[in-house]
DNA sequence: GTCAAACCTTACCGAAAGGTACAATTAATT
DNA sequence: AATTAATTGTACCTTTCGGTAAGGTTTGAC
């Protein structure tokens, strides 16, 4: 079948490196020079392996969704944990990630999302970002509509609106984290919003 | 004293046009071609009038602070209005501005702030943006510490934390507005957070 | 060992970025 | 009217962007 020289770099490792760069600098801010330097490869290698910058971004973002977002979502559906505790686990884990400055990262989606506004992101990437961005609202709505404990609290009556409240907090903390606010200072806000929507 | 040809454009008009462009596209996204086209002048005219792109941005941002932000803040200190109503007026006015898509604008500060992370904004502009960004927290804290009604409600006990909660909402709604969510859907979230921090 | 396929490196392309030199144009001052 | 100082338009500079052409290099298959 195939012959020829073997690839000298691991595609997955390179993709993770690319994800980090996009995470730090956004789509436009991450230049090919930045990307390939951190990926440890040259531009032609990158183009032959991933296609172009947009395709690389799409794959990196998909990687982010699978390895970073989904584990956070699964916290909402753990068994033998109260709804309030699940929500707190979920929110606090997100905040912890948002506030993690170990690699000078901001918030992946928040950073890229603002580029959606200025129209600097190509179509395919835009689609994926919008889907990823809308994911939490759908998940929260589903949670409030299906979870027994949530229904008992009546959260299903305002499922969409309550989902929006959670999401608002999530976006707010992302923005705050980018401003360098400490994780502990955000815990209070999370408690407040949970009280506000009636999660006791 | 001075003689020579008169300026054919109004500096203030041009500055407002520049503010609009930065508002829509952020600092990096707004190219000199975009800017000068909308300002109705040529590049050398812009450079002689404002210095360079950064100086133009600083002046445009200062203009934004004075003409857009400060009127919103003054709503918090109107006389003969209850604290709850003042807060709602303030928040809803902000949300209305954030959701105003008449000129395809996003949120000025939110858009530029993400550029702070990627390090694409020069120093002087960065300083001003950070100051403007921190302004609401200071104002809210001052309100909770000095307003008679707030003190009666005990909001001064957690002044800083409560200020942070309001600010979180503000940032959250900004992000949501950028995603195209309707104004009316955000009203509920605002009520929730006001309940959460104990404003009845 | 030979051939061929896949890789890596270098060097380059056109476009667009921020910024500027220079000369033509204009109007207030004398 | 002549002078002079400021603004204006054109045309250009350097750098960096995303992307690629061409050729040398390494590995597998026969």
């Amino acid at each position: 079948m195939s012959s020829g020289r073997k690839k000298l770099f691991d595609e997955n490792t390179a993709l993770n490196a690319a994800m980090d760069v996009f995470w730090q600098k956004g789509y436009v801010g991450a230049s090919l020079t930045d990307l390939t330097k951190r990926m440890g490869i040259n531009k032609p290698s990158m183009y032959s392996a991933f296609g172009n910058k947009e395709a690389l971004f799409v794959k990196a973002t998909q990687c982010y969704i699978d390895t970073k977002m989904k584990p956070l979502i699964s916290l909402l559906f753990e068994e033998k944990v109260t709804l309030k505790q699940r929500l707190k686990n979920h929110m606090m884990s997100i905040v912890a990630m948002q506030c993690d400055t170990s690699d000078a990262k901001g918030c992946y989606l928040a950073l890229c999302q603002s580029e959606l506004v200025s129209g600097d992101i190509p179509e395919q990437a835009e689609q994926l970002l919008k889907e990823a961005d809308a994911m939490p609202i759908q998940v929260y709505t589903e949670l409030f509509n299906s979870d027994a404990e949530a229904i008992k609290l009546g959260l299903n009556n305002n499922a969409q609106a309550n989902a929006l409240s959670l999401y608002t907090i999530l976006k707010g903390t992302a923005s705050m984290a980018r401003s360098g606010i400490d994780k502990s200072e955000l815990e209070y806000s999370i408690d407040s919003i949970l009280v506000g929507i009636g999660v006791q």
Side-chain angles (χ1 to χ4, degrees), chain A:
Chain A
M1 315 218 333
S2 69
S3 64
R5 189 175 178 179
K6 264 187 189 167
K7 218 175 284 183
L8 294 188
F9 67 97
D10 177 57
E11 256 186 50
N12 234 322
T13 307
L15 188 59
N16 267 64
M19 181 181 79
D20 277 355
V21 178
F22 283 126
W23 201 336
Q24 285 179 23
K25 306 197 164 194
Y27 181 81
V28 180
S31 74
L32 284 179
T33 306
D34 291 333
L35 289 163
T36 51
K37 189 174 284 181
R38 277 267 274 287
M39 295 166 85
I41 61 180
N42 295 68
K43 276 195 277 186
S45 298
M46 180 261 145
Y47 274 87
S48 93
F50 299 99
N52 60 11
K53 189 184 179 183
E54 179 180 13
L56 176 65
F57 179 76
V58 167
K59 282 184 179 125
T61 303
Q62 192 62 56
C63 175
Y64 173 83
I65 292 172
D66 292 337
T67 66
K68 307 291 177 183
M69 287 185 72
K70 292 195 171 166
L72 291 170
I73 289 176
S74 70
L75 288 174
L76 290 172
F77 299 94
E78 280 188 325
E79 295 182 5
K80 298 181 185 171
V81 182
T82 65
L83 176 65
K84 180 179 181 180
Q85 194 57 51
R86 274 177 282 151
L87 282 169
K88 278 202 75 170
N89 289 346
H90 172 74
M91 295 299 236
M92 289 308 296
S93 297
I94 290 177
V95 169
M97 192 171 87
Q98 289 170 343
C99 291
D100 175 22
T101 57
S102 58
D103 282 314
K105 292 171 184 167
C107 172
Y108 197 105
L109 287 178
L111 190 57
C112 298
Q113 222 200 341
S114 59
E115 292 180 325
L116 287 179
V117 177
S118 53
D120 284 326
I121 290 193
E123 197 175 357
Q124 211 181 343
E126 181 175 347
Q127 205 59 34
L128 181 59
L129 277 179
K130 283 186 178 172
E131 279 177 33
D133 188 54
M135 193 183 293
I137 297 186
Q138 293 177 358
V139 172
Y140 297 150
T141 304
E142 184 200 329
L143 177 71
F144 292 148
N145 274 328
S146 67
D147 186 85
E149 205 174 337
I151 294 174
K152 195 182 293 178
L153 286 170
L155 295 178
N156 55 325
N157 295 330
N158 286 322
Q160 179 97 24
N162 287 327
L164 224 64
S165 291
L166 284 191
Y167 185 70
T168 302
I169 287 291
L170 194 154
K171 288 296 188 176
T173 54
S175 182
M176 311 270 291
R178 261 178 293 151
S179 307
I181 292 207
D182 196 75
K183 186 179 70 166
S184 61
E185 302 195 52
L186 295 175
E187 215 163 348
Y188 182 88
S189 294
I190 290 177
D191 280 333
S192 290
I193 194 69
L194 291 181
V195 169
I197 66 174
V199 179
Q200 303 294 354

